[in-house]
Amino acid sequence: MKLGITCYPTYGGSGAVATELGLELARRGHEVHFITYDSPFRLRGYAERVFFHQVETRMGRYPLFDHFPYTLALASKQHEVVLREGLDVLHVHYAIPHATTAYLAREMLRGVHQLRVITTLHGTDITLVGQESSFYAITKFSIERSDAVTAVSTYLRDETFRAFGCVSCDLRVVPNFVNLQEYHPGDSSDRCGLVPADHKLITHVSNFREVKRVKDVVRVFARIRRAMPATLMMIGDGPERMDAENEARELGVVQDIRFLGRLDTVASLLQASDLFLLPSQTESFGLAALEAMACGSPVVATRAGGLPEVIEDGVSGILEPVGSVEAMGRRAVELLRTPERHAAMREAAIARAQEYSADRIVPLYEELYQEVLR
Ligand code: GMT
């Protein structure tokens, strides 16, 4: 098949999933065309059958526009690439504005070229942004006009029905997946030379937005640090980073936290990690947690959104209510102090992640493409 993928190319779960999907599809022999304003961050280097088409985000100094109309530029680019390359399916990730631009591109092609549009809902496109009054009607309209819609968890599917009453949609759950060639258990005693040998290594990866509650990451870590030598690796960047640093200073743990910023690859750190913290306000799925589990790091997370679909509390990880830093800290310490329980949870996390391997999940998308083309 010839497939187009549009996503946000920047750091974030939806762009990560879209890119990994494109790469997997290309490995399976499909031709994949990414259409977005920048090369997706996980698209590292050359891959056979993978193409990137850049959407303009600027134009000459035309004084009428205070803001460049990116949505129109994207729809035009999608139209152009679909026609030139003869694409069968345009698979867009994150509804806003991608479901709308895909709808426009398909309308522009009506009678000229048959295009099928698939929208994958990822999270805040439904739970937050899509419900804002400026976006609600057009998000609902564009989702309903897609030829197929998927959600990355049952939680997100139910939220979509609740918020949008999207009755005309055949809203299918296709969970996120993990590339086990890259994310697999490693030698957990190899600390990459980053932390003292007697320290527990705790990790967190996110885009440091409010929803991630990064101050809670620091608070849980402070409780661990009080109980044992430990280092926290904070990977990623975003608006809440300064708050997290200030919290670390206030709690007196800043010397044991490394703010590493954005990294291209995190697998080696996750393989060395004893525990991964994800105390988010909500997560439609929690791809970061799945990748940590695949690398053998148990996750302490919140019982929020789709996280309980991925993590089984007390078995493959630990779940506590949003904001319960005391309970998360206490259970993290108990786990880290009991090597046999930690080893059992690590094994259960690895086994759980294998249920979400790319080999199992990507064929579900291929079946969907075939269905919409029939
Ligand atoms: O919805 C978002 O906040 C954006 C999105 C992203 O691009 O980071 O994250 C969501 O999609 C990921 C991939 O499907 C999920 O793993 C995340 O749980 C989800 N984030 C939220 O629901 C907050």
Side-chain angles (χ1 to χ4, degrees), residues 204 211-213 216-217 277-281 300-302 322 328:
H204 169 77
V211 72
K212 302 292 174 181
R213 296 182 70 98
D216 281 3
V217 175
L277 302 178
L278 195 65
S280 305
Q281 184 70 33
V300 175
T302 40
V322 175
M328 285 188 254

Side-chain angles (χ1 to χ4, degrees), residues 71-150:
T71 301
L72 299 183
L74 175 58
S76 302
K77 193 63 159 185
Q78 287 170 325
H79 166 262
E80 173 201 316
V81 174
V82 169
L83 199 54
R84 192 180 61 233
E85 306 291 343
L87 305 188
D88 306 303
V89 172
L90 187 53
H91 187 174
V92 298
H93 294 258
Y94 204 90
I96 305 166
H98 303 147
T100 312
T101 61
Y103 164 79
L104 282 175
R106 193 188 58 196
E107 285 304 297
M108 290 159 75
L109 290 161
R110 194 177 281 279
V112 179
H113 176 87
Q114 181 189 281
L115 174 70
R116 296 288 185 241
V117 169
I118 298 183
T119 299
T120 289
L121 308 172
H122 279 273
T124 52
D125 45 354
I126 294 302
T127 57
L128 215 64
V129 192
Q131 293 185 41
E132 281 179 20
S133 54
S134 334
F135 297 119
Y136 182 85
I138 199 159
T139 303
K140 179 172 160 63
F141 172 85
S142 311
I143 291 171
E144 289 184 346
R145 291 302 186 282
S146 299
D147 295 299
V149 186
T150 75

Side-chain angles (χ1 to χ4, degrees), residues 196-269:
D198 63 332
H199 274 223
K200 295 293 181 194
L201 175 55
I202 317 296
T203 46
H204 169 77
V205 181
S206 79
N207 44 20
F208 286 54
R209 284 177 302 154
E210 206 180 335
V211 72
K212 302 292 174 181
R213 296 182 70 98
V214 282
K215 282 200 286 185
D216 281 3
V217 175
V218 174
R219 289 171 185 149
V220 174
F221 173 70
R223 281 158 176 79
I224 298 171
R225 183 64 193 88
R226 254 181 252 143
M228 62 190 74
T231 299
L232 171 64
M233 298 289 180
M234 295 286 267
I235 304 160
D237 207 348
E240 301 287 307
R241 176 172 168 167
M242 278 312 287
D243 280 3
E245 289 194 33
N246 290 338
E247 189 71 9
R249 238 169 259 119
E250 268 172 41
L251 295 176
V253 289
V254 75
Q255 69 287 352
D256 292 310
I257 303 183
R258 306 258 175 100
F259 287 89
L260 298 179
R262 291 174 180 160
L263 300 179
D264 274 351
T265 50
V266 293
S268 57
L269 274 170

Side-chain angles (χ1 to χ4, degrees), residues 317-336:
I318 290 172
L319 297 174
E320 286 293 339
V322 175
S324 358
V325 287
E326 199 57 58
M328 285 188 254
R330 180 177 42 74
R331 290 184 69 190
V333 168
E334 279 165 16
L335 187 71
L336 292 168

Side-chain angles (χ1 to χ4, degrees), residues 8 11-15 17 94 121-125 127 152 176 207 209 211-212 282-288:
Y8 283 103
Y11 287 77
S14 58
V17 169
Y94 204 90
L121 308 172
H122 279 273
T124 52
D125 45 354
T127 57
V152 296
N176 286 336
N207 44 20
R209 284 177 302 154
V211 72
K212 302 292 174 181
T282 184
E283 286 290 343
S284 65
F285 182 91
L287 180 69

